[in-house]
Amino acid sequence: GDSVTQMEGPVTLSEEAFLTINCTYTATGYPSLFWYVQYPGEGLQLLLKATKADDKGSNKGFEATYRKETTSFHLEKGSVQVSDSAVYFCALSLPFGNEKLTFGTGTRLTIIP
Amino acid sequence: EAQVTQNPRYLITVTGKKLTVTCSQNMNHEYMSWYRQDPGLGLRQIYYSMNVEVTDKGDVPEGYKVSRKEKRNFPLILESPSPNQTSLYFCASSLSGRGHEQYFGPGTRLTVT
């Protein structure tokens, strides 16, 4: 079945460090790929998305590129801030039938000043 | 303001006592869905609805019911809650079609004793 595997956490970085959170997927067909972020006590918010191979999603300094050949969608940011502390979820959805999101298990990121 | 609302936000109940968690969206979205979030498992879909009067099971539907009588509302019903339904529940909605962002409610934390 379809699945998403993402980097185990928790991840702790110093402010201004470079961030990478790995995400790989298994899917039939050509999924859309997403990164969602969950701040403490809140629901999930879309951070960025890509709907076809080689697309790059970007938002708030975060980027991820849809790599079909490696079935990956790694999240990167060049210089993290304390306000980036949250749980990050990689997810996919398929272009037919149920439009459900299939999520990875989440990566908790903590940024220390 | 475009939003998905859920009520209640927190609920503690006892085994077997029927309960309903409400979900409402003001964005005229066709697609709505319920997820549960459990540690180490990410989010898993319980039920979804493609439009009014059209609902179907997700990955973990056992013990839950839903209805979609109006486009904006999608309540989740637990007829006889059990302790294994203790979880964090999220409602989500989106426009139908490939790659659309799903908007999440703030979550309902349910404890069944």
Side-chain angles (χ1 to χ4, degrees):
Chain A
D2 307 313
S3 65
V4 174
T5 302
Q6 67 180 97
M7 183 173 166
E8 292 282 335
V11 174
T12 302
L13 295 172
S14 297
E15 204 166 22
E16 299 184 1
F18 185 86
L19 169 71
T20 300
I21 301 178
N22 290 335
C23 171
T24 58
Y25 68 90
T26 302
T28 52
Y30 299 97
S32 296
L33 301 174
F34 305 84
W35 278 100
Y36 279 82
V37 59
Q38 184 178 30
Y39 298 103
E42 298 184 12
L44 281 75
Q45 305 172 24
L46 179 68
L47 181 59
L48 53 84
K49 71 176 185 181
T51 58
K52 61 182 189 296
D54 300 323
D55 270 2
K56 178 186 283 188
S58 62
N59 186 25
K60 299 181 181 179
F62 291 89
E63 292 184 341
T65 301
Y66 190 143
R67 301 286 188 201
K68 185 168 177 291
E69 63 276 13
T70 55
T71 62
S72 65
F73 193 54
H74 304 320
L75 182 69
E76 296 182 336
K77 187 175 185 182
S79 177
V80 293
Q81 306 300 312
V82 171
S83 57
D84 294 327
S85 298
V87 181
Y88 292 80
F89 291 92
C90 185
L92 66 83
S93 71
L94 293 173
F96 44 81
N98 180 7
E99 294 163 32
K100 75 171 183 180
L101 290 164
T102 298
F103 286 91
T105 54
T107 301
R108 181 175 299 277
L109 174 66
T110 301
I111 308 301
I112 53 176
Chain B
E1 179 191 354
Q3 61 181 349
V4 178
T5 57
Q6 294 179 229
N7 283 291
R9 294 289 312 276
Y10 303 90
L11 180 59
I12 301 174
T13 190
V14 296
T15 299
K17 185 175 181 182
K18 181 180 178 180
L19 66 92
T20 299
V21 183
T22 64
C23 172
S24 183
Q25 50 93 5
N26 63 1
M27 295 168 279
N28 203 36
H29 287 165
E30 298 90 2
Y31 183 86
M32 297 187 74
S33 181
W34 277 101
Y35 297 87
R36 59 178 289 173
Q37 182 180 14
D38 301 291
L41 297 176
L43 284 82
R44 295 174 292 166
Q45 189 186 55
I46 303 170
Y47 267 93
Y48 70 97
S49 170
M50 303 289 283
N51 214 324
V52 176
E53 302 291 2
V54 181
T55 64
D56 207 346
K57 297 177 181 178
D59 295 322
V60 288
E62 294 76 21
Y64 304 95
K65 286 175 57 177
V66 293
S67 67
R68 186 92 182 273
K69 293 184 170 55
E70 307 164 280
K71 199 171 188 180
R72 63 183 294 128
N73 296 323
F74 190 45
L76 179 69
I77 303 156
L78 285 73
E79 295 267 3
S80 183
S82 63
N84 65 11
Q85 293 178 297
T86 293
S87 188
L88 181 57
Y89 292 87
F90 289 101
C91 181
S93 73
S94 72
L95 293 169
S96 287
R98 178 181 172 84
H100 283 297
E101 172 184 0
Q102 288 195 23
Y103 292 80
F104 283 78
T108 296
R109 185 166 293 283
L110 172 65
T111 302
V112 183
T113 61

